Amino acid sequence: MPLLLALLAQVTPVQPIVHGTGLPPQGTDEASVMAPVNALLAGIAAHDGAAATARVRTDGTLTAAVERADGSHELRRMSWADFAARLKPSPQRVEERLLDPAVEIDGDVAMVWSPYVFLVDGKVDHCGADHFDVVRDGGSWKLLNVTWSQRSTGC
């Protein structure tokens, strides 16, 4: 037992990811990782499925963990093709704003984690946190998976 306690005392706790202080500067690896994320958000704002999915790996998925106002929960999963098909022309103005994104890179694998707020016609519709899995494929960064929490209260 004393040996186990001595070993446990030597464990260094892992610190949480420090959130960014804004978008990374142009020309950095972090900015390159953000490029497909920004393309996705621009495609959503334009209601353009082809633009939204131009920088994705089609074998990935999107998953939403939705918390409704009544407290019920739903996990929704879809393919990139299904997601793109849902983006139809609309007179509504939509915008997803990432708030303080954190970018982590290890070789050809990266992730972006960020709280977000989703606006419809300038008003908050819902909010949560986004997690983007990004991979370097053929020399460029592409979105593989996107997972997000979504709630309409407490935004």
Side-chain angles (χ1 to χ4, degrees), residues 10-36:
Q10 295 177 9
V11 174
T12 303
V14 175
Q15 297 298 316
I17 294 174
V18 177
H19 289 282
T21 56
L23 294 177
Q26 291 294 327
T28 64
D29 286 340
E30 289 81 4
S32 296
V33 167
M34 287 298 297

Side-chain angles (χ1 to χ4, degrees), residues 41 44-45 94-98 116-119 126 130 132:
L41 300 179
I44 291 169
V94 297
E95 177 188 8
E96 183 166 343
R97 290 184 189 163
L98 300 183
Y116 76 89
V117 62
F118 193 90
L119 305 158
H126 62 273
D130 283 334
F132 302 91

Side-chain angles (χ1 to χ4, degrees), residues 42-66:
I44 291 169
H47 303 279
D48 184 338
T53 58
R55 305 255 334 244
V56 305
R57 282 192 47 102
T58 57
D59 54 336
T61 60
L62 299 97
T63 305
V66 180

Side-chain angles (χ1 to χ4, degrees), residues 12 21 33 41 44 52 59 65 68 78 89 92 105 115 120 135 140 143 154-155:
T12 303
T21 56
V33 167
L41 300 179
I44 291 169
D59 54 336
R68 293 190 185 90
M78 69 189 94
Q92 287 185 315
I105 304 169
V120 176
V135 295
S140 67
L143 289 175
C155 296

Side-chain angles (χ1 to χ4, degrees), residues 13 24 29 54 57 73 77-79 85 106 116 137 143 151 153:
D29 286 340
R57 282 192 47 102
H73 295 259
R77 188 170 180 222
M78 69 189 94
S79 69
D106 184 34
Y116 76 89
D137 181 23
L143 289 175
R151 63 185 169 279
T153 59

